[in-house]
Amino acid sequence: MATSTNGSSRDNKFANVGAAAGGFVGGLGSSFVPPVNVTVNNNKGAAGRPGGASSQSLLPSPEFTSPAQVRNYCNTLRAAGVTLSIEVAMAAEILQSVLAAVPDPEGRAFGSRIRAQKVARKMRKSADALRDAAKNAAAAYASFQQEYEEEINRVRHRARKPQQPVMNWAQQ
């Protein structure tokens, strides 16, 4: 009976250590909370559409009939990519801290941290991919400007306002 009491106290000791570590990691995780954005969708006009879904997108429609539309699309894509990359990277940190608090079922030392890192690594890869998408959007517009510089410059001088006539006081 002494061994079972001793064994259960050892189990409780490890359970308490796990709870303390989980509380510490959970406390760290609460400091990484990203800002919360609340969006209210008015779907009154969407009732006639199939599924009642609205057709909103993060990006403007891909109509590329002017250099301004190409610039707008690339800038919007870049901004969305940067914003989403930051949010997903933050979510990866939060996910890792939350999952690290879950005890390892086999009781391995640092097993919960290793499992949490494996899961969060995939989320970080998503954040990196979004960051790369933002870089490529900016590079796409820079490439557009280089490749079509001649056409842009040909039209640019016509788009300027004509200068106001200058008064020549010497001519009387």
Side-chain angles (χ1 to χ4, degrees), residues 1-171:
M1 186 146 186
T3 58
S4 66
T5 312
N6 189 10
S8 67
S9 69
R10 182 181 303 151
D11 292 340
N12 286 339
K13 180 171 69 172
F14 287 123
N16 292 338
V17 169
F24 176 73
V25 172
L28 283 177
S30 65
S31 66
F32 290 109
V33 177
V36 177
N37 296 327
V38 178
T39 304
V40 178
N41 292 327
N42 183 357
N43 291 332
K44 290 181 183 176
R49 290 188 213 123
S54 63
S55 62
Q56 284 187 317
S57 173
L58 291 175
L59 300 173
S61 61
E63 295 175 8
F64 304 117
T65 58
S66 71
Q69 287 180 328
V70 174
R71 183 184 66 241
N72 181 38
Y73 191 86
C74 290
N75 282 343
T76 306
L77 176 58
R78 181 195 52 78
V82 167
T83 303
L84 288 173
S85 170
I86 292 168
E87 286 187 22
V88 172
M90 199 67 114
E93 294 297 323
I94 294 168
L95 179 66
Q96 182 175 349
S97 65
V98 168
L99 293 179
V102 176
D104 186 54
E106 297 174 11
R108 295 175 294 184
F110 303 109
S112 59
R113 286 186 187 176
I114 293 169
R115 291 175 11 174
Q117 285 177 345
K118 285 181 181 179
V119 174
R121 184 179 304 130
K122 298 297 183 183
M123 188 82 75
R124 283 192 194 95
K125 280 188 170 186
S126 296
D128 292 343
L130 287 165
R131 189 186 67 230
D132 290 342
K135 286 181 193 176
N136 287 329
Y141 183 66
S143 178
F144 167 74
Q145 283 183 313
Q146 273 185 331
E147 294 294 327
Y148 294 93
E149 181 180 15
E150 185 179 324
E151 288 87 348
I152 292 170
N153 287 337
R154 200 177 315 143
V155 176
R156 186 174 284 167
H157 74 279
R158 284 188 278 164
R160 293 183 185 151
K161 291 183 179 178
Q163 292 182 351
Q164 293 289 332
V166 179
M167 180 68 70
N168 186 357
W169 295 101
Q171 190 179 23

